[in-house]
Amino acid sequence: MKVRTDILRMYKEIHGWVGIVSGLALFIAFFAGAVTMFEEPIQRWASAPTSLSAPVPLERAPELVEAVLAAHPEAARSYDVHLETGPENPARVTWSQGSRRDPEIFLAALAPDGTLEVEKQAASPVAQFIDRLHQQVGLPFAHEVAMPIMGAISLLYFIALVSGVIVLLPSLVADFFAVRVGKNAKRMWLDVHNVLGIVSLPFHIVMALTAVVFAFHDEFYDLQGAAFMDRGAPRAQMAPPPPPNPNGQGPELLTPAKLAQRVESQAPGFTIRAITYHTGREGQPQARLSGHDPRFGLRGPTFGMVEADPVTGALTDTTYMPGLQDAWGATITNFFALHFGSFGGAPIRWSYFLLGLAGAMLFYTGNLLWVESRRKRERKAGAVTQTRATRALGALTVGVPLGCVAGIAVTLAAAKPLGTEATAGIHSAIYYVVFTGFVAWALVRGTARGARELLPAAALALLTIPLASLTFLDLHPWSQPLVDAVSVALAASLTLAARATRRRARNGPRDSVWSHQSHKARADSPPPEAGHAAAPERNPAI
């Protein structure tokens, strides 16, 4: 496809500048997002085991609920009966107190002699912290401040995608899947960048558009409310509440096992994980069942929901029910599911994980190419040494991604020794200390030396995760070996990258931002004079 040269030049400039402005933040968003594809296994890996007795069988859940309500009547407002239990959710019955943003969750069990056991939940907050890094592109601000910035970055991201496709159009067929490995490092990185971008383009378009919606979620709903809610349209699929009991006594509720059986008979394929019993606005009892159905997208990252009458088992609200939504609800849910990867089960989650890592690599290669191109323009203009801006951009291209990787690894590994003392604030402090340390080191040492030293440091940071598993086996029985295995694989990848970086620094063109020789050249070179010729270009790096 032919595109005019001036148009190509304009979109190339747009693509470069927009990419360099948003690339480092997007690296954090994509790497942390890839990690959160396995939020539940991470939660299980990081959470300290409970001292509660084993969950009672589901058939004995009513007995446990009765004991909880007798000892803690405040739980009657809303409590959960979990059909699926495990290390991350060890109790059959739970309830919460406190604010919605900072709830205290209590777990209940029955001891072997039938007495009630209650324990405050000690689930590690580290998985939620990593998810917040993903949502806020690593910004340590309040959610209300960070989200609009994230939305603006997402808009730049979409512009970079469109402009990148236009730039690539004339050579799309010839360059597709052509990764030319050789002495021309820029050509190789450009090929890698193009292949990653084209292969995962639909994924990136979905991520960019959905991220914009999430960033301005409240504003969109306010606009929708102003446009439609005043018309008094009745809420679809909402059944009327049951009539009050004339005797003034509460109706008899179905047991959790029977309620789950009746709901599953109305929605075959929907596997229920938990039932939330709560009181509606009219004072009537209600039940919200959360679960999953691999055939359909889910509204939440790992679950969909349905409201049911806990007395009869009839479905009362299917707005968020996988497979039973109306067209509008299904459209919105598919939007969420495409972002979360909450459909298709494990194959889709692994695909999203790999696409997330590839996306992070796309932004890294984009920054790398931009910095090298900038260095080439400076050299042609007569600058023998790199400018301060080029050195800073190169150092940030090294320090920010590796600081993000190391910070997430160290704060995750810290979950085991912290145990029940862990808080989101402690995990945040650990992450940002490591992150800022890497960034500062890269700025002080420069791009080439910083990369050579920080790549193995980030690999060692990743190895603290399996090391924590081995060190605290007595406190945390080994579970979720997947977390340890992925950490070792990523550490091995960074080790290989460190070897390649050392070779590049030693043997590559001396004017490259990745070359150690550039520092020596700067020290040995005479002071620049007006009209000084550019350094001779052997093996051009860009």
Side-chain angles (χ1 to χ4, degrees):
M1 179 177 180
K2 291 185 178 179
V3 181
R4 278 171 35 199
T5 304
D6 57 328
I7 294 178
L8 276 181
R9 189 179 301 113
M10 178 186 69
Y11 277 104
K12 191 174 181 180
E13 287 290 320
I14 293 173
H15 183 72
W17 277 106
V18 169
I20 199 69
V21 168
S22 60
L24 296 179
L26 290 171
F27 181 95
I28 297 174
F30 270 73
F31 184 79
V35 174
T36 57
M37 282 293 104
F38 298 100
E39 183 173 344
E40 290 187 347
I42 289 174
Q43 184 81 9
R44 286 193 287 272
W45 182 91
S47 298
T50 179
S51 59
L52 286 175
S53 299
V56 297
L58 185 60
E59 291 70 22
R60 291 186 63 191
E63 179 186 348
L64 176 57
V65 170
E66 184 178 357
V68 167
L69 297 183
H72 300 274
E74 70 277 8
R77 185 175 57 85
S78 176
Y79 61 89
D80 298 316
V81 176
H82 299 274
L83 278 67
E84 293 182 357
T85 59
E88 81 285 4
N89 185 28
R92 181 68 69 190
V93 173
T94 63
W95 74 95
S96 64
Q97 294 178 5
S99 66
R100 186 176 179 181
R101 285 187 176 273
D102 188 23
E104 292 182 332
I105 299 176
F106 294 90
L107 319 176
L110 290 177
D113 62 358
T115 58
L116 179 66
E117 295 178 340
V118 174
E119 183 178 291
K120 188 176 176 182
Q121 189 179 45
S124 172
V126 69
Q128 287 76 23
F129 169 71
I130 296 173
D131 187 36
R132 197 168 78 241
L133 281 179
H134 160 64
Q135 293 179 27
Q136 299 187 178
V137 292
L139 297 172
F141 305 144
H143 196 68
E144 294 74 14
V145 176
M147 293 308 284
I149 299 175
M150 185 276 281
I153 291 173
S154 299
L155 287 171
L156 294 176
Y157 169 31
F158 185 74
I159 293 171
L161 289 175
V162 173
S163 56
V165 170
I166 293 173
V167 170
L168 196 59
L169 280 177
S171 60
L172 179 61
V173 176
D175 291 347
F176 195 49
F177 286 137
V179 179
R180 285 154 284 196
V181 179
K183 292 184 178 179
N184 191 335
K186 184 222 174 177
R187 183 72 261 173
M188 182 194 73
W189 283 113
L190 184 59
D191 289 341
V192 171
H193 183 79
N194 291 340
V195 169
L196 288 175
I198 292 299
V199 169
S200 56
L201 182 61
F203 174 78
H204 284 282
I205 291 175
V206 167
M207 291 299 113
L209 295 179
T210 51
V212 171
V213 173
F214 291 147
F216 302 109
H217 178 275
D218 292 342
E219 287 76 7
F220 286 147
Y221 271 95
D222 289 344
L223 183 62
Q224 175 183 310
F228 301 109
M229 296 303 287
D230 291 339
R231 298 179 183 180
R235 191 177 182 184
Q237 302 180 349
M238 179 68 81
N245 188 322
N247 299 324
Q249 298 177 350
E252 183 177 356
L253 307 183
L254 293 171
T255 66
K258 287 184 178 177
L259 178 58
Q261 186 178 19
R262 292 194 183 183
V263 169
E264 288 177 342
S265 68
Q266 299 170 77
F270 184 64
T271 302
I272 299 170
R273 302 172 61 180
I275 304 173
T276 302
Y277 291 89
H278 60 106
T279 303
R281 292 182 178 177
E282 305 296 331
Q284 77 281 10
Q286 293 183 341
R288 182 186 308 117
L289 298 94
S290 59
H292 52 88
D293 188 336
R295 299 171 301 169
F296 304 100
L298 305 175
R299 185 59 177 260
T302 57
F303 60 87
M305 295 173 287
V306 63
E307 293 279 349
D309 185 340
V311 178
T312 66
L315 304 184
T316 57
D317 189 349
T318 60
T319 302
Y320 302 131
M321 177 65 171
L324 293 180
Q325 298 175 284
D326 60 13
W328 173 250
T331 301
I332 298 297
T333 292
N334 287 333
F335 211 66
F336 279 76
L338 285 171
H339 187 92
F340 295 142
S342 57
F343 60 97
I348 294 297
R349 291 213 163 265
W350 273 105
S351 299
Y352 267 57
F353 173 74
L354 296 175
L355 285 167
L357 294 183
M361 189 67 180
L362 180 73
F363 303 123
Y364 173 75
T365 55
N367 268 41
L368 185 153
L369 290 165
W370 195 91
V371 171
E372 286 279 22
S373 296
R374 181 184 175 90
R375 171 60 190 145
K376 180 181 179 181
R377 286 197 297 271
E378 291 173 352
R379 194 170 50 203
K380 284 185 175 179
V384 176
T385 59
Q386 298 173 30
T387 63
R388 182 176 300 174
T390 301
R391 287 201 301 274
L393 284 170
L396 289 174
T397 297
V398 170
V400 170
L402 293 178
C404 170
V405 172
I408 288 177
V410 173
T411 199
L412 178 56
K416 296 250 180 181
L418 287 172
T420 57
E421 301 299 321
T423 64
I426 293 176
H427 282 294
S428 175
I430 293 172
Y431 169 82
Y432 284 110
V433 165
V434 175
F435 175 79
T436 53
F438 270 60
V439 173
W441 187 271
L443 289 170
V444 170
R445 299 288 287 169
T447 307
R449 293 183 188 280
R452 192 184 67 170
E453 294 158 356
L454 293 180
L455 275 166
L460 287 175
L462 285 163
L463 291 178
T464 60
I465 294 173
L467 180 64
S469 291
L470 294 173
T471 306
F472 296 96
L473 275 178
D474 292 341
L475 298 176
H476 293 259
W478 203 354
S479 64
Q480 300 303 312
L482 172 70
V483 176
D484 302 295
V486 170
S487 302
V488 172
L490 291 177
S493 301
L494 290 183
T495 302
L496 293 175
R499 292 181 57 187
T501 300
R502 282 197 297 272
R503 285 198 303 271
R504 166 81 169 166
R506 187 172 56 247
N507 304 324
R510 61 186 299 169
D511 282 343
S512 168
V513 295
W514 308 105
S515 174
H516 289 172
Q517 301 174 65
S518 61
H519 300 276
K520 184 179 178 182
R522 186 167 61 248
D524 296 342
S525 62
E529 300 173 358
H532 195 289
E537 185 175 352
R538 316 171 299 147
N539 263 340
I542 194 76

